Amino acid sequence: MADVGYFLSCEEHGPAELVEQARMAEQAGFDSLWISDHFHPWNDAQGQSPFVWSVIGALSQAVSLPVETAVTCPLVRTHPAVIAQAAATSAVQLGGRFRLGVGTGEALNEHILGTHWPEASVRLEMLEEALQIIRQLLTGERTSHRGKHYTVENARLYTVPDDPVPIDVSAFGPQAAEVAARIGDGLITMTPDVTMVERFRRGGGGANPVYGGLKVCWGPDRREALRTAHRLWANEQLPGELPQILPTPSHFEQASTLVTEERMADAVPCGDDPDDHLRALTAFADAGFDTVYVNQIGKDQQGFFDFYRTKILPALRG
């Protein structure tokens, strides 16, 4: 595996904690950072939801690692023209070390203005139009656009980076993977699915990078770590389109009662056995991923970073 990044969770941690975790990630030897972009956490137990663009500004002053949103929805809650300005400023602050990760979003975050939540095929259509607007604005040229979903009138970004901002597209199904291949500079997906990677590459993605995300819960007591993972992130194991259509954290809490600890144990490496963590990371490499971003569930971040610095990253690179 070429690179291992750290995934900063805005659902679990406040802005000061996220910046400190980024510093620890850099010191531990991680290569880059992902950061989630949410209005709500998935459930009340996670308990946080800072504004991602403010945190990225702080990260630009605290670390030298590349940063990417994983992922931003530029469709409903925030107009793509505003996302373009946020991405441009982030890229300037980070000296070109910024990638914009985008996806079709979840009702959990996007319904808050009381607007209609479109079905998945419509959201993919909206995403394609949104990226046309974002890419045009990032050139610094005056932009007007009158499309099916969005209107932009005489807009121009004056603060833009020297080089284009790479835009990676999140996909969880075949149709989305094909869209990502056509309009994205890379693919983001959360399971080590070789079929998804092959579909992306055959569909036009070619040698563009593929990024994956992995949640773990390091701790000296595996059973306690599993309980923590289940309490905070059972929502990760909800099937199908449920994560895209449930509108509030309380709905996720209700649905997550159907997810057992045993199911979490099969999906999330828990405890302090290096082999469990290495096996999960290697699965992404074997499926053709270029980078995997690891997120530690729970409060024991320092223990996690010490474990990965001494046991996991050297083994992956050695």
Side-chain angles (χ1 to χ4, degrees):
M1 180 172 296
D3 292 303
V4 181
Y6 188 69
F7 193 169
L8 298 165
S9 172
C10 285
E11 302 93 325
E12 262 196 81
H13 305 284
E17 294 172 295
L18 293 167
V19 172
E20 181 56 30
Q21 288 167 24
R23 290 193 183 102
M24 289 192 288
E26 185 165 35
Q27 291 165 4
F30 285 85
D31 297 298
S32 51
L33 299 169
W34 264 1
I35 184 166
S36 56
D37 180 359
H38 269 236
F39 190 89
H40 291 136
W42 298 97
N43 54 58
D44 284 354
Q46 291 172 358
Q48 291 287 341
S49 191
F51 187 55
V52 68
W53 303 105
S54 299
V55 181
I56 289 172
L59 293 175
S60 74
Q61 304 304 300
V63 296
S64 62
L65 296 179
V67 178
E68 178 167 19
T69 55
V71 295
T72 291
C73 177
L75 305 187
V76 179
R77 168 170 53 109
T78 312
H79 192 282
V82 178
I83 296 298
Q85 185 182 29
T89 299
S90 297
V92 170
Q93 286 180 304
L94 285 157
R97 293 176 286 113
F98 178 73
R99 297 182 78 94
L100 177 63
V102 298
T104 55
E106 305 89 16
L108 174 71
N109 303 302
E110 304 304 317
H111 83 285
I112 58 168
L113 302 181
T115 51
H116 171 65
W117 181 238
E119 63 183 25
S121 61
V122 176
R123 299 200 310 274
L124 282 170
E125 186 180 271
M126 294 170 72
L127 183 64
E128 192 158 357
E129 185 177 338
L131 290 201
Q132 292 173 7
I133 294 167
I134 291 168
R135 289 189 192 278
Q136 180 65 25
L137 283 166
L138 286 170
T139 65
E141 297 175 0
R142 186 177 302 279
T143 297
S144 291
H145 173 93
R146 287 172 181 81
K148 182 175 179 180
H149 301 287
Y150 303 106
T151 298
V152 177
E153 188 171 286
N154 297 326
R156 179 185 170 191
L157 297 181
Y158 282 80
T159 300
V160 293
D162 294 333
D163 298 313
V165 176
I167 302 176
D168 302 317
V169 176
S170 174
F172 295 95
Q175 185 182 2
E178 291 167 3
V179 171
R182 189 172 67 252
I183 68 174
D185 297 308
L187 172 69
I188 292 172
T189 191
M190 295 299 160
T191 57
D193 185 345
V194 66
T195 303
M196 180 77 75
V197 175
E198 290 173 351
R199 185 180 294 271
F200 170 75
R201 299 214 182 281
R202 287 198 310 266
N208 285 345
V210 177
Y211 304 102
L214 173 68
K215 290 200 174 292
V216 306
C217 192
W218 175 87
D221 183 330
R222 183 180 182 278
R223 174 54 59 182
E224 182 59 32
L226 177 57
R227 281 195 289 265
T228 298
H230 183 259
R231 176 174 61 85
L232 293 173
W233 284 94
N235 60 279
E236 283 276 297
Q237 297 306 308
L238 293 176
E241 291 187 60
L242 273 181
Q244 281 74 56
I245 63 174
L246 295 177
T248 68
S250 63
H251 287 104
F252 278 92
E253 289 163 7
Q254 293 163 22
S256 294
T257 61
L258 302 174
V259 178
T260 64
E261 284 192 9
E262 288 72 24
R263 184 167 179 179
M264 289 296 291
D266 291 337
V268 178
C270 293
D272 61 355
D273 185 342
D275 289 342
D276 291 341
H277 293 256
L278 290 167
R279 196 159 34 242
L281 289 162
T282 302
F284 283 91
D286 292 344
F289 284 68
D290 297 281
T291 306
V292 61
Y293 288 82
V294 184
N295 172 245
Q296 162 70 358
I297 296 171
K299 296 295 185 185
D300 196 352
Q301 298 288 318
Q302 186 63 64
F304 161 83
F305 284 116
D306 288 344
F307 175 66
Y308 266 64
R309 176 178 54 82
T310 59
K311 302 291 186 183
I312 303 304
L313 297 181
L316 287 172
R317 293 162 179 166

